[in-house]
Amino acid sequence: MSVSATAAGEAPVKTPGRYLFPSDYMADPSAHVFDGKIYIYPSHDWDSPVNDAADGNHFDMKDYHVFSIDGDFLTGNVVDHGVIFSVDDVPWASRQLWAADAACKDGKYYHYFTARDKEGVFRIGVAVADSPVGPFKVHPLPIAGTYSIDPAVYEENGEYFIYFGGLGGGQLQKYRDNVYDADADLPAKNEPSLPPRVARLADDMVTLAEDPKPVMILDAAGNPLAEGDKHRFYEASWLHKYNGKYYFSYSTGNSHTLSYAIGDSPYGPFTYSGEILTPVVGWTTHHSVLEHDGKWWLVCHDSQPSGGLSRLRSMKVFPLSYRADGTIVTIDGGK
Ligand code: FUB
């Protein structure tokens, strides 16, 4: 298995991709296929007067939309189904509706999302609907046992796993053994990096069936990636399965790539295996990976349409391909 960004001597592939919704800023796109149709659950950037980048405060999103595509990713008509709920509909939240994801079980649709609570601590909430585009009813409390940001849900054989966590403004560095510790911080550069978390959802889909566990991302020698490693986890978890293997992908934050690691179980451990996307225009990079109509896709965002403003991002899609050995062909993010 290759551990380089690309196969030896191979440059990242330059491909134009498609901006999915040029008329507004949408970020963090989590895409799924429900009943054969593509749905996207992004966060909604806007030109907020909050212009303070400390702790990610400039990502000041206040509502969520849902999109669907009539047809395929590259040519289908992208439909905006409008606002599904706003921060005022979340009794426990104060601001910053960050990245979200969705899952379907027994005809119900669950929208998992992130917001700061009234004390400024990021938590993960859930809203439920009878259709993929809503109307969604928000649960009155965050999901007990979850914390930090960026929920992503993976389903297999009727079991649902929720991944979460993000460093920096996402506050993951403040948790040890699932407990908030105001004094905790990032490890030293030569120490193991902080892992994202995973837990199985209970049958009701709105509570956890178990305590969150660390998602270990290892190097080829079996050691956890160090905090100083440019491919260590930062935020934006995603899990997909390809050819019987589990691919955990994520943003590396300050080194601005989307990277991935491969394992044999949804719980990991995962071995670092390469980059999916090189840096894009803008600070953050976030994504989902999915199969539709027998083809694989990377759905992500960049800040090119806003002229490089990190807090104003646009959804984009690229075709994704795998080599015979299961590694992913790296896409040039365009920076
Ligand atoms: O959009 C706000 C935050 O920026 C997300 O939750 C992170 O993943 C990053 O994209």
Side-chain angles (χ1 to χ4, degrees):
M1 191 72 66
S2 164
V3 290
S4 58
T6 55
E10 216 180 273
V13 139
K14 279 191 201 294
T15 169
R18 176 192 183 191
Y19 285 107
L20 288 164
F21 195 64
S23 56
D24 200 353
Y25 297 111
M26 300 280 162
D28 307 320
S30 293
H32 289 276
V33 176
F34 295 134
D35 284 334
K37 186 170 176 138
I38 301 164
Y39 292 89
I40 309 177
Y41 300 83
S43 53
H44 182 195
D45 286 350
W46 68 292
D47 199 6
S48 162
V50 179
N51 206 356
D52 153 31
D55 285 340
N57 286 331
H58 57 329
F59 298 115
D60 188 32
M61 298 85 106
K62 52 190 182 174
D63 59 30
Y64 289 110
H65 287 227
V66 179
F67 293 81
S68 65
I69 303 185
D70 292 330
D72 66 51
F73 267 118
L74 289 184
T75 61
N77 183 40
V78 178
V79 179
D80 176 10
H81 295 273
V83 174
I84 50 166
F85 62 92
S86 71
V87 71
D88 296 334
D89 300 315
V90 186
W92 53 267
S94 60
R95 60 194 163 103
Q96 293 180 287
L97 296 183
W98 282 15
D101 193 16
C104 173
K105 183 183 177 191
D106 298 336
K108 296 249 181 242
Y109 295 83
Y110 298 84
H111 181 277
Y112 299 91
F113 63 96
T114 315
R116 282 195 202 256
D117 69 11
K118 311 279 188 202
E119 281 75 49
V121 176
F122 271 114
R123 303 202 178 276
I124 294 171
V126 58
V128 188
D130 292 324
S131 130
V133 298
F136 281 90
K137 190 171 177 349
V138 180
H139 263 244
L141 294 171
I143 301 175
T146 63
Y147 47 90
S148 190
I149 62 168
D150 289 1
V153 178
Y154 172 76
E155 183 268 334
E156 183 165 294
N157 298 329
E159 290 197 314
Y160 293 75
F161 301 87
I162 184 166
Y163 298 80
F164 58 91
L167 299 175
Q171 304 174 340
L172 183 63
Q173 68 278 10
K174 293 287 173 201
Y175 291 83
R176 295 291 184 276
D177 297 327
N178 297 326
V179 176
Y180 185 85
D181 175 356
D183 296 328
D185 211 336
L186 289 175
K189 299 277 183 215
N190 62 343
E191 289 178 346
S193 54
L194 296 176
R197 312 290 199 263
V198 59
R200 201 163 48 76
L201 284 161
D203 286 345
D204 65 8
M205 297 290 278
V206 299
T207 54
L208 299 186
E210 60 188 3
D211 289 339
K213 303 174 191 330
V215 175
M216 299 310 296
I217 304 172
L218 310 176
D219 63 18
N223 301 310
L225 296 192
E227 170 57 20
D229 189 312
K230 73 172 192 162
H231 292 120
R232 66 94 172 81
F233 171 85
Y234 189 88
E235 62 186 2
S237 299
W238 191 259
L239 194 88
H240 75 277
K241 194 175 187 182
Y242 176 80
N243 258 354
K245 294 279 185 189
Y246 298 88
Y247 288 62
F248 179 79
S249 48
Y250 55 96
S251 162
T252 58
N254 47 340
S255 57
H256 311 289
T257 71
L258 288 175
S259 290
Y260 69 103
I262 299 178
D264 292 315
S265 150
Y267 288 107
F270 299 93
T271 303
Y272 172 74
S273 298
E275 294 176 358
I276 301 177
L277 186 71
T278 63
V280 297
V281 174
W283 199 94
T284 68
T285 185
H286 194 115
H287 71 305
S288 43
V289 173
L290 75 164
E291 188 179 18
H292 178 247
D293 269 354
K295 298 188 192 96
W296 285 89
W297 303 94
L298 172 69
V299 191
C300 54
H301 69 223
D302 71 29
S303 296
Q304 206 161 310
S306 69
L309 291 177
S310 282
R311 67 203 171 87
L312 294 179
R313 300 160 293 178
S314 298
M315 297 191 284
K316 198 169 186 179
V317 64
F318 292 105
L320 187 76
S321 51
Y322 298 80
R323 299 186 190 87
D325 67 357
T327 56
I328 292 176
V329 177
T330 307
I331 299 166
D332 188 324
K335 185 154 190 173

